mmCIF file of all heavy atoms in Angstrom:
data_model
loop_
_atom_site.group_PDB
_atom_site.id
_atom_site.type_symbol
_atom_site.label_atom_id
_atom_site.label_comp_id
_atom_site.label_asym_id
_atom_site.label_seq_id
_atom_site.Cartn_x
_atom_site.Cartn_y
_atom_site.Cartn_z
ATOM 1 N N GLY A 1 -15.163 -35.286 66.809
ATOM 2 C CA GLY A 1 -14.418 -35.196 68.039
ATOM 3 C C GLY A 1 -13.206 -36.099 68.117
ATOM 4 O O GLY A 1 -12.457 -36.077 69.126
ATOM 5 N N THR A 2 -12.974 -36.959 67.064
ATOM 6 C CA THR A 2 -11.830 -37.866 67.106
ATOM 7 C C THR A 2 -10.560 -37.213 66.669
ATOM 8 O O THR A 2 -9.453 -37.796 66.768
ATOM 9 C CB THR A 2 -12.074 -39.086 66.211
ATOM 10 O OG1 THR A 2 -12.298 -38.634 64.859
ATOM 11 C CG2 THR A 2 -13.325 -39.851 66.670
ATOM 12 N N VAL A 3 -10.623 -36.033 66.087
ATOM 13 C CA VAL A 3 -9.437 -35.305 65.598
ATOM 14 C C VAL A 3 -9.045 -34.267 66.594
ATOM 15 O O VAL A 3 -9.907 -33.517 67.115
ATOM 16 C CB VAL A 3 -9.745 -34.697 64.226
ATOM 17 C CG1 VAL A 3 -8.551 -33.928 63.665
ATOM 18 C CG2 VAL A 3 -10.167 -35.752 63.226
ATOM 19 N N PRO A 4 -7.710 -34.086 66.888
ATOM 20 C CA PRO A 4 -6.619 -34.777 66.255
ATOM 21 C C PRO A 4 -6.469 -36.199 66.808
ATOM 22 O O PRO A 4 -6.907 -36.561 67.833
ATOM 23 C CB PRO A 4 -5.419 -33.939 66.699
ATOM 24 C CG PRO A 4 -5.796 -33.306 67.988
ATOM 25 C CD PRO A 4 -7.323 -33.078 67.868
ATOM 26 N N LEU A 5 -5.737 -36.997 65.984
ATOM 27 C CA LEU A 5 -5.432 -38.394 66.349
ATOM 28 C C LEU A 5 -4.052 -38.801 65.865
ATOM 29 O O LEU A 5 -3.513 -38.160 64.953
ATOM 30 C CB LEU A 5 -6.545 -39.322 65.822
ATOM 31 C CG LEU A 5 -6.774 -39.372 64.328
ATOM 32 C CD1 LEU A 5 -5.817 -40.359 63.584
ATOM 33 C CD2 LEU A 5 -8.218 -39.850 64.066
ATOM 34 N N SER A 6 -3.466 -39.790 66.555
ATOM 35 C CA SER A 6 -2.103 -40.234 66.261
ATOM 36 C C SER A 6 -2.114 -41.724 65.827
ATOM 37 O O SER A 6 -2.810 -42.525 66.475
ATOM 38 C CB SER A 6 -1.163 -40.075 67.420
ATOM 39 O OG SER A 6 -1.050 -38.700 67.775
ATOM 40 N N LEU A 7 -1.360 -42.040 64.808
ATOM 41 C CA LEU A 7 -1.297 -43.418 64.320
ATOM 42 C C LEU A 7 0.138 -43.891 64.273
ATOM 43 O O LEU A 7 1.034 -43.204 63.682
ATOM 44 C CB LEU A 7 -1.910 -43.459 62.938
ATOM 45 C CG LEU A 7 -3.381 -43.121 62.767
ATOM 46 C CD1 LEU A 7 -3.761 -43.167 61.291
ATOM 47 C CD2 LEU A 7 -4.263 -44.102 63.571
ATOM 48 N N ALA A 8 0.449 -45.049 64.866
ATOM 49 C CA ALA A 8 1.781 -45.592 64.778
ATOM 50 C C ALA A 8 1.899 -46.332 63.432
ATOM 51 O O ALA A 8 0.955 -46.417 62.662
ATOM 52 C CB ALA A 8 1.987 -46.628 65.904
ATOM 53 N N THR A 9 3.069 -46.846 63.174
ATOM 54 C CA THR A 9 3.301 -47.519 61.875
ATOM 55 C C THR A 9 2.301 -48.654 61.595
ATOM 56 O O THR A 9 2.103 -49.503 62.491
ATOM 57 C CB THR A 9 4.739 -48.109 61.829
ATOM 58 O OG1 THR A 9 5.660 -47.083 62.010
ATOM 59 C CG2 THR A 9 5.011 -48.817 60.518
ATOM 60 N N ALA A 10 1.663 -48.605 60.473
ATOM 61 C CA ALA A 10 0.720 -49.601 60.010
ATOM 62 C C ALA A 10 -0.639 -49.523 60.799
ATOM 63 O O ALA A 10 -1.497 -50.399 60.549
ATOM 64 C CB ALA A 10 1.284 -50.981 59.995
ATOM 65 N N ASP A 11 -0.791 -48.596 61.709
ATOM 66 C CA ASP A 11 -2.035 -48.484 62.451
ATOM 67 C C ASP A 11 -3.103 -47.884 61.548
ATOM 68 O O ASP A 11 -2.808 -47.115 60.629
ATOM 69 C CB ASP A 11 -1.895 -47.605 63.710
ATOM 70 C CG ASP A 11 -1.421 -48.436 64.894
ATOM 71 O OD1 ASP A 11 -1.251 -49.658 64.730
ATOM 72 O OD2 ASP A 11 -1.183 -47.842 65.940
ATOM 73 N N THR A 12 -4.378 -48.145 61.863
ATOM 74 C CA THR A 12 -5.483 -47.608 61.101
ATOM 75 C C THR A 12 -6.503 -46.966 62.109
ATOM 76 O O THR A 12 -6.479 -47.256 63.264
ATOM 77 C CB THR A 12 -6.213 -48.722 60.302
ATOM 78 O OG1 THR A 12 -6.749 -49.660 61.222
ATOM 79 C CG2 THR A 12 -5.276 -49.363 59.336
ATOM 80 N N ALA A 13 -7.306 -46.076 61.523
ATOM 81 C CA ALA A 13 -8.392 -45.458 62.310
ATOM 82 C C ALA A 13 -9.529 -45.207 61.354
ATOM 83 O O ALA A 13 -9.335 -44.923 60.206
ATOM 84 C CB ALA A 13 -7.929 -44.175 62.968
ATOM 85 N N ALA A 14 -10.757 -45.329 61.894
ATOM 86 C CA ALA A 14 -11.899 -45.089 61.091
ATOM 87 C C ALA A 14 -12.670 -43.848 61.607
ATOM 88 O O ALA A 14 -12.956 -43.764 62.803
ATOM 89 C CB ALA A 14 -12.860 -46.318 61.119
ATOM 90 N N VAL A 15 -12.876 -42.897 60.693
ATOM 91 C CA VAL A 15 -13.647 -41.691 61.051
ATOM 92 C C VAL A 15 -14.876 -41.675 60.137
ATOM 93 O O VAL A 15 -14.790 -41.688 58.938
ATOM 94 C CB VAL A 15 -12.815 -40.442 60.812
ATOM 95 C CG1 VAL A 15 -13.627 -39.195 61.141
ATOM 96 C CG2 VAL A 15 -11.520 -40.488 61.657
ATOM 97 N N ARG A 16 -16.024 -41.636 60.789
ATOM 98 C CA ARG A 16 -17.296 -41.709 60.025
ATOM 99 C C ARG A 16 -17.665 -40.373 59.356
ATOM 100 O O ARG A 16 -17.608 -39.352 60.035
ATOM 101 C CB ARG A 16 -18.448 -42.201 60.891
ATOM 102 C CG ARG A 16 -18.348 -43.672 61.261
ATOM 103 C CD ARG A 16 -19.488 -44.116 62.159
ATOM 104 N NE ARG A 16 -19.497 -43.453 63.464
ATOM 105 C CZ ARG A 16 -20.352 -43.618 64.396
ATOM 106 N NH1 ARG A 16 -21.422 -44.392 64.131
ATOM 107 N NH2 ARG A 16 -20.305 -42.986 65.558
ATOM 108 N N ILE A 17 -17.972 -40.452 58.058
ATOM 109 C CA ILE A 17 -18.416 -39.283 57.308
ATOM 110 C C ILE A 17 -19.878 -39.490 56.944
ATOM 111 O O ILE A 17 -20.320 -40.599 56.600
ATOM 112 C CB ILE A 17 -17.593 -39.138 56.014
ATOM 113 C CG1 ILE A 17 -16.074 -39.214 56.325
ATOM 114 C CG2 ILE A 17 -17.950 -37.888 55.276
ATOM 115 C CD1 ILE A 17 -15.637 -38.098 57.288
ATOM 116 N N ALA A 18 -20.648 -38.414 57.084
ATOM 117 C CA ALA A 18 -22.114 -38.492 56.833
ATOM 118 C C ALA A 18 -22.488 -37.741 55.581
ATOM 119 O O ALA A 18 -21.897 -36.726 55.207
ATOM 120 C CB ALA A 18 -22.865 -37.917 58.048
ATOM 121 N N PHE A 19 -23.540 -38.259 54.923
ATOM 122 C CA PHE A 19 -24.191 -37.610 53.793
ATOM 123 C C PHE A 19 -25.661 -37.450 54.116
ATOM 124 O O PHE A 19 -26.388 -38.380 54.367
ATOM 125 C CB PHE A 19 -24.031 -38.506 52.525
ATOM 126 C CG PHE A 19 -24.772 -37.994 51.309
ATOM 127 C CD1 PHE A 19 -24.690 -36.652 50.915
ATOM 128 C CD2 PHE A 19 -25.617 -38.857 50.592
ATOM 129 C CE1 PHE A 19 -25.401 -36.195 49.789
ATOM 130 C CE2 PHE A 19 -26.318 -38.378 49.468
ATOM 131 C CZ PHE A 19 -26.191 -37.039 49.066
ATOM 132 N N ALA A 20 -26.063 -36.137 54.200
ATOM 133 C CA ALA A 20 -27.461 -35.814 54.502
ATOM 134 C C ALA A 20 -27.927 -34.779 53.497
ATOM 135 O O ALA A 20 -27.799 -33.526 53.721
ATOM 136 C CB ALA A 20 -27.562 -35.309 55.933
ATOM 137 N N PRO A 21 -28.457 -35.150 52.332
ATOM 138 C CA PRO A 21 -28.805 -34.210 51.302
ATOM 139 C C PRO A 21 -29.982 -33.304 51.757
ATOM 140 O O PRO A 21 -31.004 -33.837 52.213
ATOM 141 C CB PRO A 21 -29.212 -35.105 50.166
ATOM 142 C CG PRO A 21 -29.610 -36.417 50.757
ATOM 143 C CD PRO A 21 -28.763 -36.538 51.981
ATOM 144 N N PRO A 22 -29.866 -31.975 51.553
ATOM 145 C CA PRO A 22 -30.989 -31.117 51.935
ATOM 146 C C PRO A 22 -32.105 -31.064 50.888
ATOM 147 O O PRO A 22 -33.252 -30.712 51.184
ATOM 148 C CB PRO A 22 -30.298 -29.746 51.969
ATOM 149 C CG PRO A 22 -29.125 -29.874 51.025
ATOM 150 C CD PRO A 22 -28.669 -31.265 51.107
ATOM 151 N N ALA A 23 -31.802 -31.494 49.644
ATOM 152 C CA ALA A 23 -32.812 -31.498 48.618
ATOM 153 C C ALA A 23 -32.439 -32.555 47.598
ATOM 154 O O ALA A 23 -31.369 -33.084 47.596
ATOM 155 C CB ALA A 23 -32.848 -30.114 47.904
ATOM 156 N N ALA A 24 -33.431 -32.861 46.723
ATOM 157 C CA ALA A 24 -33.168 -33.865 45.722
ATOM 158 C C ALA A 24 -32.116 -33.368 44.721
ATOM 159 O O ALA A 24 -32.098 -32.190 44.384
ATOM 160 C CB ALA A 24 -34.466 -34.199 44.994
ATOM 161 N N GLY A 25 -31.297 -34.282 44.259
ATOM 162 C CA GLY A 25 -30.247 -33.893 43.315
ATOM 163 C C GLY A 25 -28.952 -34.590 43.587
ATOM 164 O O GLY A 25 -28.748 -35.276 44.591
ATOM 165 N N ARG A 26 -27.971 -34.349 42.713
ATOM 166 C CA ARG A 26 -26.661 -34.952 42.804
ATOM 167 C C ARG A 26 -25.727 -34.056 43.561
ATOM 168 O O ARG A 26 -25.665 -32.801 43.310
ATOM 169 C CB ARG A 26 -26.052 -35.215 41.380
ATOM 170 C CG ARG A 26 -24.783 -36.006 41.359
ATOM 171 C CD ARG A 26 -24.967 -37.436 41.737
ATOM 172 N NE ARG A 26 -23.746 -38.199 41.713
ATOM 173 C CZ ARG A 26 -23.604 -39.415 42.184
ATOM 174 N NH1 ARG A 26 -24.631 -40.007 42.741
ATOM 175 N NH2 ARG A 26 -22.435 -40.048 42.081
ATOM 176 N N TYR A 27 -24.894 -34.624 44.451
ATOM 177 C CA TYR A 27 -24.011 -33.825 45.291
ATOM 178 C C TYR A 27 -22.571 -34.461 45.167
ATOM 179 O O TYR A 27 -22.409 -35.638 45.164
ATOM 180 C CB TYR A 27 -24.425 -33.810 46.754
ATOM 181 C CG TYR A 27 -25.680 -33.098 47.010
ATOM 182 C CD1 TYR A 27 -26.911 -33.786 46.876
ATOM 183 C CD2 TYR A 27 -25.711 -31.781 47.452
ATOM 184 C CE1 TYR A 27 -28.076 -33.096 47.124
ATOM 185 C CE2 TYR A 27 -26.890 -31.130 47.709
ATOM 186 C CZ TYR A 27 -28.053 -31.799 47.554
ATOM 187 O OH TYR A 27 -29.247 -31.094 47.815
ATOM 188 N N THR A 28 -21.563 -33.533 45.146
ATOM 189 C CA THR A 28 -20.193 -33.953 45.173
ATOM 190 C C THR A 28 -19.456 -32.979 46.083
ATOM 191 O O THR A 28 -19.862 -31.839 46.255
ATOM 192 C CB THR A 28 -19.511 -33.973 43.787
ATOM 193 O OG1 THR A 28 -19.559 -32.634 43.211
ATOM 194 C CG2 THR A 28 -20.169 -34.955 42.893
ATOM 195 N N ALA A 29 -18.345 -33.434 46.658
ATOM 196 C CA ALA A 29 -17.552 -32.577 47.545
ATOM 197 C C ALA A 29 -16.204 -33.234 47.729
ATOM 198 O O ALA A 29 -15.981 -34.410 47.475
ATOM 199 C CB ALA A 29 -18.237 -32.414 48.841
ATOM 200 N N LEU A 30 -15.221 -32.395 48.139
ATOM 201 C CA LEU A 30 -13.902 -32.901 48.539
ATOM 202 C C LEU A 30 -13.769 -32.897 50.018
ATOM 203 O O LEU A 30 -14.001 -31.836 50.656
ATOM 204 C CB LEU A 30 -12.831 -32.066 47.875
ATOM 205 C CG LEU A 30 -12.540 -32.266 46.387
ATOM 206 C CD1 LEU A 30 -11.382 -31.320 45.947
ATOM 207 C CD2 LEU A 30 -12.147 -33.725 46.126
ATOM 208 N N LEU A 31 -13.349 -33.986 50.550
ATOM 209 C CA LEU A 31 -13.007 -34.082 51.993
ATOM 210 C C LEU A 31 -11.477 -33.952 52.098
ATOM 211 O O LEU A 31 -10.744 -34.619 51.376
ATOM 212 C CB LEU A 31 -13.498 -35.418 52.610
ATOM 213 C CG LEU A 31 -13.165 -35.718 54.046
ATOM 214 C CD1 LEU A 31 -14.308 -36.457 54.693
ATOM 215 C CD2 LEU A 31 -11.861 -36.479 54.223
ATOM 216 N N THR A 32 -10.994 -33.121 52.975
ATOM 217 C CA THR A 32 -9.586 -32.804 53.112
ATOM 218 C C THR A 32 -9.064 -33.285 54.472
ATOM 219 O O THR A 32 -9.685 -32.966 55.519
ATOM 220 C CB THR A 32 -9.296 -31.335 52.909
ATOM 221 O OG1 THR A 32 -9.714 -30.957 51.645
ATOM 222 C CG2 THR A 32 -7.792 -31.075 53.033
ATOM 223 N N VAL A 33 -7.958 -34.040 54.428
ATOM 224 C CA VAL A 33 -7.334 -34.519 55.634
ATOM 225 C C VAL A 33 -5.946 -33.844 55.800
ATOM 226 O O VAL A 33 -5.148 -33.867 54.842
ATOM 227 C CB VAL A 33 -7.153 -36.019 55.666
ATOM 228 C CG1 VAL A 33 -6.481 -36.499 56.974
ATOM 229 C CG2 VAL A 33 -8.510 -36.728 55.476
ATOM 230 N N THR A 34 -5.724 -33.194 56.925
ATOM 231 C CA THR A 34 -4.429 -32.516 57.171
ATOM 232 C C THR A 34 -3.639 -33.299 58.192
ATOM 233 O O THR A 34 -4.195 -33.720 59.240
ATOM 234 C CB THR A 34 -4.679 -31.113 57.713
ATOM 235 O OG1 THR A 34 -5.506 -30.372 56.760
ATOM 236 C CG2 THR A 34 -3.358 -30.360 57.926
ATOM 237 N N SER A 35 -2.341 -33.544 57.943
ATOM 238 C CA SER A 35 -1.523 -34.326 58.793
ATOM 239 C C SER A 35 -0.071 -33.811 58.722
ATOM 240 O O SER A 35 0.256 -32.870 58.000
ATOM 241 C CB SER A 35 -1.583 -35.798 58.396
ATOM 242 O OG SER A 35 -0.850 -36.062 57.224
ATOM 243 N N ASP A 36 0.824 -34.508 59.457
ATOM 244 C CA ASP A 36 2.237 -34.130 59.400
ATOM 245 C C ASP A 36 3.020 -35.020 58.413
ATOM 246 O O ASP A 36 4.196 -35.238 58.563
ATOM 247 C CB ASP A 36 2.872 -34.172 60.779
ATOM 248 C CG ASP A 36 2.851 -35.543 61.408
ATOM 249 O OD1 ASP A 36 2.162 -36.406 60.872
ATOM 250 O OD2 ASP A 36 3.485 -35.726 62.465
ATOM 251 N N ASP A 37 2.306 -35.592 57.430
ATOM 252 C CA ASP A 37 2.921 -36.320 56.348
ATOM 253 C C ASP A 37 3.889 -35.328 55.626
ATOM 254 O O ASP A 37 3.390 -34.320 55.049
ATOM 255 C CB ASP A 37 1.843 -36.848 55.383
ATOM 256 C CG ASP A 37 2.433 -37.600 54.197
ATOM 257 O OD1 ASP A 37 3.598 -37.390 53.841
ATOM 258 O OD2 ASP A 37 1.676 -38.403 53.635
ATOM 259 N N PRO A 38 5.218 -35.586 55.612
ATOM 260 C CA PRO A 38 6.138 -34.590 55.018
ATOM 261 C C PRO A 38 5.959 -34.457 53.503
ATOM 262 O O PRO A 38 6.346 -33.405 52.961
ATOM 263 C CB PRO A 38 7.508 -35.138 55.390
ATOM 264 C CG PRO A 38 7.296 -36.616 55.617
ATOM 265 C CD PRO A 38 5.899 -36.746 56.142
ATOM 266 N N ASP A 39 5.463 -35.429 52.829
ATOM 267 C CA ASP A 39 5.319 -35.379 51.363
ATOM 268 C C ASP A 39 3.999 -34.725 50.989
ATOM 269 O O ASP A 39 3.921 -33.972 50.007
ATOM 270 C CB ASP A 39 5.460 -36.768 50.694
ATOM 271 C CG ASP A 39 6.840 -37.313 50.865
ATOM 272 O OD1 ASP A 39 7.791 -36.541 50.867
ATOM 273 O OD2 ASP A 39 6.967 -38.557 50.983
ATOM 274 N N GLU A 40 2.880 -35.039 51.659
ATOM 275 C CA GLU A 40 1.578 -34.530 51.308
ATOM 276 C C GLU A 40 0.892 -34.121 52.623
ATOM 277 O O GLU A 40 0.138 -34.891 53.193
ATOM 278 C CB GLU A 40 0.770 -35.562 50.569
ATOM 279 C CG GLU A 40 1.217 -35.927 49.164
ATOM 280 C CD GLU A 40 0.286 -36.854 48.450
ATOM 281 O OE1 GLU A 40 -0.681 -36.346 47.800
ATOM 282 O OE2 GLU A 40 0.431 -38.066 48.595
ATOM 283 N N PRO A 41 1.097 -32.921 53.064
ATOM 284 C CA PRO A 41 0.456 -32.476 54.306
ATOM 285 C C PRO A 41 -1.032 -32.477 54.223
ATOM 286 O O PRO A 41 -1.742 -32.656 55.258
ATOM 287 C CB PRO A 41 1.001 -31.061 54.485
ATOM 288 C CG PRO A 41 2.219 -31.005 53.677
ATOM 289 C CD PRO A 41 2.027 -31.917 52.478
ATOM 290 N N THR A 42 -1.587 -32.302 53.004
ATOM 291 C CA THR A 42 -3.040 -32.413 52.850
ATOM 292 C C THR A 42 -3.379 -33.390 51.723
ATOM 293 O O THR A 42 -2.686 -33.402 50.692
ATOM 294 C CB THR A 42 -3.693 -31.057 52.530
ATOM 295 O OG1 THR A 42 -3.113 -30.546 51.299
ATOM 296 C CG2 THR A 42 -3.422 -30.048 53.618
ATOM 297 N N ARG A 43 -4.368 -34.206 51.995
ATOM 298 C CA ARG A 43 -4.827 -35.171 50.993
ATOM 299 C C ARG A 43 -6.356 -35.122 50.918
ATOM 300 O O ARG A 43 -6.997 -34.898 51.945
ATOM 301 C CB ARG A 43 -4.342 -36.592 51.265
ATOM 302 C CG ARG A 43 -2.835 -36.801 51.045
ATOM 303 C CD ARG A 43 -2.472 -38.275 51.048
ATOM 304 N NE ARG A 43 -3.144 -38.925 49.924
ATOM 305 C CZ ARG A 43 -3.172 -40.262 49.767
ATOM 306 N NH1 ARG A 43 -2.550 -41.018 50.675
ATOM 307 N NH2 ARG A 43 -3.768 -40.800 48.742
#
């Protein structure tokens, strides 16, 4: 619920990410952040 959000110069924000494995084993994933960064709109 914190998105969208706005950050001024040098401001920071913390958004909590959860890991809840459904079964035993190794998991990996990519989290994607979309913004109006003109050089990298997605990171």
